[in-house]
Amino acid sequence: MGSSKTRPINIAIMALGGQGGGVMADWTVRAAELAGFRAQYTSVQGVAQRTGATIYYIELFPEAEIAARGKEPVLALMPVPGDVDVVVASELMEAGRAVMRGFVTPERTTLIGSTHRVFAIAEKIAMADGRADAGAVHEAAQARAKRWIGFDMEATAREGDSVISAVMFGALAGSGALPIPRDVFEAVIRESGKAVAANLATFALGFDRACGIAPPAAPAMPAAATAPEAPAAVKPLLARIEAELPFIAREFATEGLRRTIDFQDLTYGALYLDRLQQAADWDAAAGGSARRHELIRELARHLALWMTFDDTFRVADLKTRSSRFERFRHEVNAAPDQIVAVTEFMHPRLKEVADSLPAGLGRWAARQAWLGRWFAKGRKVQTSSLRGFLMLSLLATGRRWRRSTLRFSHENAAIEAWLERARQLAASDYAAAVELVRCQKLIRGYGETNERGARNFARIMAAVNGASGAGLAARIKRLRDAALADEKGEKLAEVLAEAA
């Protein structure tokens, strides 16, 4: 604009797919136009994480200044590091990415962000806990922004029975970062004609939070309802937990019993307790009370996880549970009269099919390479349709013959070998036994994910079989951490090679 000192107001909105970032940007542009600004709006879509993060970039310039100067402004199409006045982020890590890209500066930027998390693919597929440090993002936002306004916008949207874009719009208005009155923002929502009442109510909540107005105190919670009584058939098993296990292990054991019964039946739950009772004897003989029964506590957790492995029957069962469909409806904020379609991508390989057959037949099928061509491609199954739902429901009934399958025989043998090695170690090296029990966390998921974890677990078992001496616990922990470092097992191979 020549020698004019007036500069554009630059706004970057960073949102994930499906969060209404485009709606938020449209509303912001319209509010600016009603307030007498020339607005330029661009968006750049990305697929770097989750469902794809998009940057919506808006530059505003006063129409009165344009008229006075008689010249059109030159406005940028993308945000430039160090030159952004307002950043609005729909999720905490999006705020972090804005900071990392230099869009947030202490001299200029008001950073408005939701503090809830939508985990990135890299966080979800990590072998261990791959979640990024949310605390570090909070600290960076506080340090790098001129002003940091952060609160849980997802929870606020639920409170207002609307969507997060309405909260973001309210927070932008409440921040005072734009010279636009509140009534103009509200006029835009009314003008849209869509879910006006809910959006205005949710806008108001976002506005208040940005202004630092705390939500009203929650009403006093009614007295906790009495937990439903356990079925009569389960009570003797629960009594065993109280009688046979130390107090510190009972919470995990109770949940483990629930999982194993849900996975198979009461007899399988009893087997879980039988194994724990035997382990409680090792723990006591090894002086577990002096170590707060760490071995039996860890075993109560990890044994239940392993005994409820994800085979095809389990996966089909979980994908057809009503609670899953209810969660999906909640996540997309579906109205009672709206239909939500759910499509599952499934790729059962020949191995999974063979594992689901009776052991003898499964071994034969696994050797027939020609059968693999029937399972070379993935399949899309719409579980919200009658056909897809019935197909997976029928598959889930296969749990009745699970004990006879090839997969069950493999898993059961591996569990027994693991327990036996833990028993041997407990007698001479309690800490090493605890670390070996914790190695079960390598075995997770199904398909190729499970194969990789089981392969790394087997390599650690082979490395510690027959091993003894000082430092064994530390070595097992180091091997486990190495196995969790990457899914290909390259770090584990390096650590094993060092000890060879």
Side-chain angles (χ1 to χ4, degrees):
M1 288 297 297
S3 61
S4 173
K5 295 182 179 180
T6 303
R7 60 178 297 276
I9 300 173
N10 304 331
I11 308 164
I13 301 170
M14 305 183 72
L16 306 177
Q19 290 188 316
V23 173
M24 159 77 174
D26 289 339
W27 282 349
T28 304
V29 167
R30 182 58 180 153
E33 291 172 344
L34 291 176
F37 287 89
R38 175 77 57 84
Q40 178 172 281
Y41 161 37
T42 57
S43 64
V44 178
Q45 295 182 344
V47 293
Q49 60 186 57
R50 292 154 294 199
T51 51
T54 300
I55 298 176
Y56 304 89
Y57 184 59
I58 303 168
E59 291 204 352
L60 309 179
F61 202 88
E63 290 282 7
E65 179 75 12
I66 297 173
R69 299 290 300 173
K71 297 179 181 179
E72 291 293 319
V74 178
L75 303 177
L77 299 176
M78 279 291 292
V80 176
D83 194 40
V84 182
D85 298 290
V86 184
V87 172
V88 184
S90 66
E91 187 265 351
L92 185 61
M93 287 303 152
E94 288 304 307
R97 292 206 313 140
V99 171
M100 289 180 62
R101 297 182 68 168
F103 297 156
V104 180
T105 52
E107 301 80 18
R108 172 167 292 164
T109 311
T110 297
L111 175 59
I112 305 166
S114 180
T115 56
H116 82 286
R117 289 300 327 278
V118 178
F119 296 115
I121 297 299
E123 292 177 281
K124 293 179 179 179
I125 66 174
M127 297 291 288
D129 186 352
R131 292 174 297 176
D133 183 1
V137 179
H138 279 287
E139 292 176 6
Q142 192 71 43
R144 298 291 297 276
K146 181 179 181 180
R147 185 183 177 200
W148 160 236
I149 300 172
F151 60 94
D152 189 337
M153 297 184 184
E154 181 72 20
T156 305
R158 289 195 299 270
E159 183 183 344
D161 196 25
S162 186
V163 291
I164 196 171
S165 54
V167 184
M168 294 162 63
F169 197 49
L172 176 61
S175 71
L178 300 182
I180 302 174
R182 174 175 178 166
D183 60 350
V184 173
F185 286 91
E186 293 176 329
V188 171
I189 294 178
R190 292 190 182 92
E191 186 181 272
S192 71
K194 297 180 179 178
V196 173
N199 284 337
L200 282 174
T202 307
F203 168 90
L205 292 172
F207 188 97
D208 289 347
R209 301 293 192 276
C211 292
I213 301 174
M221 294 295 292
T226 304
E229 188 175 1
V234 178
K235 288 182 178 179
L237 298 179
L238 292 172
R240 285 187 58 184
I241 293 175
E242 296 292 325
E244 299 173 2
L245 300 180
F247 176 81
I248 199 169
R250 290 174 190 169
E251 182 178 1
F252 278 145
T254 301
E255 174 60 18
L257 178 63
R258 185 200 65 78
R259 286 178 63 100
T260 49
I261 293 174
D262 178 69
F263 178 79
Q264 190 61 39
D265 51 30
L266 286 168
T267 302
Y268 200 58
L271 174 62
Y272 167 71
L273 294 185
D274 290 343
R275 286 167 164 167
L276 281 188
Q277 189 274 322
Q278 294 171 8
D281 291 342
W282 321 332
D283 183 75
S289 58
R291 299 174 174 86
R292 302 191 72 245
H293 299 288
E294 190 176 15
L295 175 60
I296 186 61
R297 182 175 183 273
E298 290 295 306
L299 195 58
R301 175 189 177 195
H302 290 285
L303 177 60
L305 292 173
W306 198 342
M307 288 182 66
T308 55
F309 54 87
D310 288 328
D311 58 6
T312 55
F313 310 130
R314 179 68 167 174
V315 171
D317 176 34
L318 295 176
K319 288 184 180 295
T320 52
R321 293 195 175 188
S322 60
S323 57
R324 191 165 187 264
F325 293 104
E326 290 169 3
R327 175 168 59 85
F328 288 154
R329 294 188 66 85
H330 174 74
E331 288 177 353
V332 300
N333 200 29
D337 60 343
Q338 289 181 310
I339 297 174
V340 177
V342 180
T343 301
E344 310 281 357
F345 180 78
M346 308 183 74
H347 190 181
R349 302 168 302 160
L350 176 58
K351 184 181 187 306
E352 280 79 60
V353 174
D355 279 345
S356 303
L357 298 173
L361 181 59
R363 292 188 187 94
W364 174 85
R367 295 193 298 267
Q368 310 308 308
W370 61 273
L371 287 174
R373 69 186 184 197
W374 297 101
F375 308 101
K377 295 182 179 179
R379 293 168 173 79
K380 293 181 180 180
V381 180
Q382 193 174 68
T383 50
S384 52
S385 71
L386 180 61
R387 181 175 179 273
F389 183 83
L390 288 178
M391 183 173 68
L392 288 189
S393 294
L394 180 63
L395 179 59
T397 63
R399 63 185 287 179
R400 292 178 294 181
W401 60 79
R402 177 182 275 134
R403 291 185 180 87
S404 67
T405 64
L406 180 61
R407 176 70 184 278
F408 187 89
S409 68
H410 285 163
E411 297 291 350
N412 197 57
I415 290 171
E416 292 290 349
W418 171 63
L419 291 173
E420 175 59 20
R421 185 58 182 140
R423 183 191 67 78
Q424 294 170 359
L425 283 175
S428 58
D429 193 332
Y430 191 93
V434 172
E435 294 300 336
L436 183 66
V437 166
R438 289 172 176 161
C439 286
Q440 183 279 330
K441 67 175 63 177
L442 295 172
I443 303 173
R444 52 181 289 189
Y446 59 97
E448 293 180 353
T449 299
N450 181 268
E451 281 186 24
R452 287 191 293 266
R455 183 166 54 247
N456 289 339
F457 176 85
R459 295 170 74 182
I460 294 176
M461 283 286 288
V464 302
N465 272 338
S468 61
L472 181 57
R475 183 174 179 229
I476 295 174
K477 183 180 185 302
R478 187 180 179 214
L479 290 171
R480 185 179 68 246
D481 291 344
L484 291 169
D486 67 275
E487 64 178 23
K488 295 181 180 179
E490 294 174 352
K491 181 65 176 178
L492 175 60
E494 290 178 11
V495 176
L496 288 170
E498 291 173 5

